Amino acid sequence: MSEAPTPADGAARLNTGVAHNARVWNYWIGGKDNYEVDHRVGDHVASMFPLIRDIARADREFLGRAVRFLAGERGVRQFLDIGTGLPTAENTHEIAQRVAPDARIVYVDNDPIVLIHARTLLTGTSAGVTDYIDADVHDPDAILERAARTLDLTRPVAVMMLGILNFVLDTGKAREIAHRVMAAVPSGSYLVLTHPTFEPELGGEGQIPAMRFWNENATPPITARGRADIAAFFEGLDLLEPGLVSCARWRPDVPDPVVVPQFGAVAVKP
């Protein structure tokens, strides 16, 4: 296991005076690792765009379904979770190692409050491995270099990029990051991705003013994208059924789930 950063490192960088995405997201899904400023901004965003809480829950549920599918039906034993967010119930390693105790998981985030709680993510089965990298999605080469200390990048890896490329504001750069990471993993690897959209077919128009408010009052800044730009993240990969859909509609556990303006998909590298 690589040397994990310490909670003190995160505390030194923590700013509790400004709302932060990881904490607000945690608040929306019912977590406790958040502050009053996160409640105020989160409640205001939810008043502008009530679907946001549904999006947060749907995204988390999508993660569970995708990991269970890949570990169970596809036999994946390695997961690279970029943009981990705060630990909650049913983290990637818990889901994967419940199916396959020998699964290896590397988490990646550069949010100081996630770093403070990173030790929670390092608890797993004795047969498997979990690790945490304090790194920025804008630097995929550093992520890959450090992930290779725990994962065997000559064997298939499921790359998890849930709600992270929306913080890379330049679409060309976001596309380059996705392609760079997937170029470094072998055939049989998977890209699991969610991303907010403004597409009216999914009810996304309301995200635009809510994101404007967010970018003026919280950090880090965020952007939504259209279907074509999100589909481009999967270039060179084969989308699994049902393709690029509202993440709530990707192989749902319940009939006719609420559609949310958050695209989700799973694709395999041929």
Side-chain angles (χ1 to χ4, degrees), residues 14-28 32-46 53 86 111 113 213-214 217-219:
L14 183 61
N15 181 358
T16 60
V18 178
H20 194 286
N21 176 75
R23 301 192 310 254
V24 176
W25 196 262
N26 178 263
Y27 172 58
W28 282 331
K32 301 184 185 306
D33 296 310
N34 42 72
Y35 298 94
E36 180 60 32
V37 65
D38 305 309
H39 302 176
R40 290 198 304 270
V41 171
D43 287 343
H44 190 83
V45 170
R53 295 181 190 274
L86 281 162
D111 179 351
I113 197 168
F213 172 83
W214 173 270
N217 293 276
T219 189

Side-chain angles (χ1 to χ4, degrees), residues 76-172:
V76 175
R77 295 296 178 264
Q78 302 191 109
F79 294 81
L80 177 59
D81 191 335
I82 303 174
T84 303
L86 281 162
T88 60
E90 295 294 275
N91 300 294
T92 298
H93 75 282
E94 294 170 317
I95 301 166
Q97 291 178 347
R98 191 177 302 132
V99 176
D102 60 337
R104 305 172 76 86
I105 295 87
V106 171
Y107 291 105
V108 182
D109 211 301
N110 74 329
D111 179 351
I113 197 168
V114 177
L115 174 56
I116 290 170
H117 293 275
R119 297 295 181 189
T120 304
L121 293 171
L122 299 179
T123 59
T125 63
S126 58
V129 176
T130 60
D131 201 359
Y132 178 89
I133 298 173
D134 181 22
D136 194 319
V137 68
H138 291 85
D139 192 355
D141 287 336
I143 292 172
L144 291 164
E145 186 273 327
R146 295 178 63 188
R149 302 174 191 177
T150 300
L151 304 179
D152 179 354
L153 299 187
T154 67
R155 296 174 54 238
V157 178
V159 176
M160 316 291 292
M161 302 187 82
L162 274 66
I164 184 62
L165 291 181
N166 36 284
F167 296 110
V168 181
L169 302 185
D170 181 276
T171 297

